[in-house]
Amino acid sequence: MEKQHIYITRKIPNELLQPYQEQFHFSMWEKESEPVPREVLLEKVEHVAGILCLLTDQIDEEVFNKAKHLQLVANMAVGYDNIDVEAAKARQVVVTNTPDVLTETTADLTFALLMATARRIVEANEFIKKDEWKDWSPFLLAGSDIHHQTIGIVGMGRIGEAVARRAKGFGMNILYYNRSRKMEAEQELDATYVSFEKLLTEADFVVCLTPLTSDTHQIFNKQAFEKMKQSAIFINASRGMTMDEQALYEALKAGEIKAAGLDVFATEPIRASHPLLELDNVVCLPHIGSASVATRENMIKLCLENLSSYFKGHGAKTPVE
């Protein structure tokens, strides 16, 4: 069988590629911490049959027009809003993602972000580092309880359900809003399906885990934040464009909501001058939801398994719809 050419848009460990060396010719961008420049990407994909890319790589009409021999794009993420799926379909290019392998890890991070924001963990750490801890007082860095509070999960997919399981362990009341009801999740987790508006008005913690679509683009806007409790905490571990960052900033600044924990932003990476970083009641992370060593390796392995299975004639393992 003729070896297919695969381009990888970021440096990954050679030991992960080794099992596939007899099947593929690999080339890759040799920097781990810098994205491949657009002009390099367009040049490198011209003769490849497959691309293994990251969510930061825009695989759009221009790329597909250059990649005349392209058959499969393996995206190292669950979400695939960085890929023009319609353009791929028009050219019969298969697009795959990495579901399941990152579910529990991302849920861990989401709940850790919720806890850190609620209990002001980062702020407390900085308090000591700045040598400001001079005494103890009854309300020193007092935060919000998590146990037995109401969590509202927007987007009850695999990760949403995993976060709900963690919330159940804290005795939380679980509300969720999703494009369709999840009866099994309701029975297993004692979760209650509600409208988006009811979730906003009743939840103590509003957690965004929805995919980015035309329907969810800036679903968290000025009106949404106005509906939340003044004591509510907003957590976003999905995609940055699901929220209006300016509206969030204004809601936090005005005290319309209590705090926010964010792992995602509209434009990434953000700089230290980003307005949200001015606020003490915001915890910001650099999009590390799935960032454990084991999970990131499993994501890469699934991308490679998709490529291998497809080119062996067995079909991709996890094609997107």
Side-chain angles (χ1 to χ4, degrees):
M1 183 175 67
E2 182 183 356
K3 284 188 176 184
Q4 301 288 352
H5 289 260
I6 308 297
Y7 185 66
I8 304 172
T9 63
R10 201 69 62 91
K11 182 177 177 59
I12 61 175
N14 284 324
E15 56 265 28
L16 297 179
L17 301 179
Q18 195 60 43
Y20 303 94
Q21 293 288 358
E22 291 185 4
Q23 186 178 0
F24 298 121
H25 285 298
F26 291 111
S27 58
M28 75 174 82
W29 177 243
E30 288 292 336
K31 295 182 180 180
E32 183 179 350
S33 59
E34 292 180 24
V36 58
R38 182 70 175 180
E39 63 274 14
V40 174
L41 175 64
L42 292 172
E43 175 193 345
K44 294 294 186 181
V45 300
E46 197 166 347
H47 302 291
V48 301
I51 299 172
L52 195 165
C53 63
L54 277 63
L55 57 86
T56 50
D57 302 310
Q58 293 300 312
I59 309 299
D60 53 18
E61 188 90 29
E62 186 180 27
V63 172
F64 289 119
N65 286 338
K66 279 284 187 180
K68 302 292 187 184
H69 307 284
L70 186 62
Q71 297 181 53
L72 188 142
V73 178
N75 201 41
M76 188 183 155
V78 172
Y80 44 90
D81 46 279
N82 58 310
I83 299 173
D84 187 336
V85 176
E86 293 306 313
K89 286 180 181 177
R91 292 163 176 80
Q92 296 184 308
V93 176
V94 176
V95 177
T96 68
N97 64 345
T98 58
D100 297 324
V101 294
L102 52 70
T103 298
E104 298 298 334
T105 300
T106 305
D108 281 349
L109 188 282
T110 303
F111 212 81
L113 181 57
L114 181 153
M115 294 180 71
T117 306
R119 294 302 304 272
R120 302 171 66 180
I121 300 297
V122 176
E123 193 180 349
N125 184 48
E126 289 301 312
F127 185 77
I128 292 179
K129 284 185 175 181
K130 293 175 182 176
D131 199 27
E132 294 178 356
W133 190 16
K134 307 301 182 184
D135 206 340
W136 186 90
S137 62
F139 293 98
L140 174 65
L141 290 162
S144 300
D145 277 331
I146 300 161
H147 66 90
H148 298 96
Q149 301 300 297
T150 296
I151 186 172
I153 299 172
V154 179
M156 197 64 141
R158 296 178 182 88
I159 297 170
E161 290 184 22
V163 169
R165 286 195 295 273
R166 286 153 179 76
K168 188 176 182 181
F170 278 72
M172 299 183 83
N173 175 39
I174 302 167
L175 307 179
Y176 79 96
Y177 171 74
N178 198 58
R179 62 182 177 181
S180 59
R181 287 190 67 171
K182 296 291 190 73
M183 304 304 291
E184 288 185 14
E186 290 180 24
Q187 294 171 5
E188 175 194 349
L189 302 166
D190 197 24
T192 303
Y193 178 78
V194 295
S195 68
F196 183 56
E197 288 72 21
K198 186 175 177 65
L199 183 148
L200 293 176
T201 58
E202 295 191 5
D204 300 300
F205 296 90
V206 177
V207 182
C208 178
L209 291 167
T210 183
L212 177 61
T213 67
S214 57
D215 292 331
T216 62
H217 180 265
Q218 292 197 350
I219 188 173
F220 289 97
N221 52 24
K222 185 177 187 292
Q223 292 73 29
F225 294 124
E226 286 174 347
K227 287 183 173 72
M228 290 185 198
K229 296 179 180 180
Q230 195 171 0
S231 59
I233 292 174
F234 174 65
I235 304 295
N236 193 351
S238 60
R239 287 292 186 267
M241 290 299 290
T242 58
M243 62 186 175
D244 180 335
E245 287 182 0
Q246 183 60 34
L248 174 60
Y249 173 83
E250 291 171 2
L252 289 162
K253 187 84 171 175
E256 291 177 1
I257 64 173
K258 187 171 186 178
L262 310 171
D263 187 41
V264 291
F265 302 88
T267 301
E268 297 176 354
I270 62 169
R271 303 265 63 88
S273 57
H274 195 289
L276 285 165
L277 295 175
E278 300 171 6
L279 305 176
D280 290 335
N281 57 342
V282 181
V283 176
C284 295
L285 303 179
H287 205 147
I288 55 170
S290 61
S292 74
V293 173
T295 293
R296 288 289 167 86
E297 287 184 349
N298 286 335
M299 291 168 71
I300 293 169
K301 288 175 182 177
L302 182 52
C303 287
L304 292 166
E305 288 168 13
N306 269 302
L307 287 160
S308 179
S309 180
Y310 176 82
F311 286 110
K312 284 180 178 178
H314 305 313
K317 295 185 69 174
T318 56
V320 304
E321 296 177 1

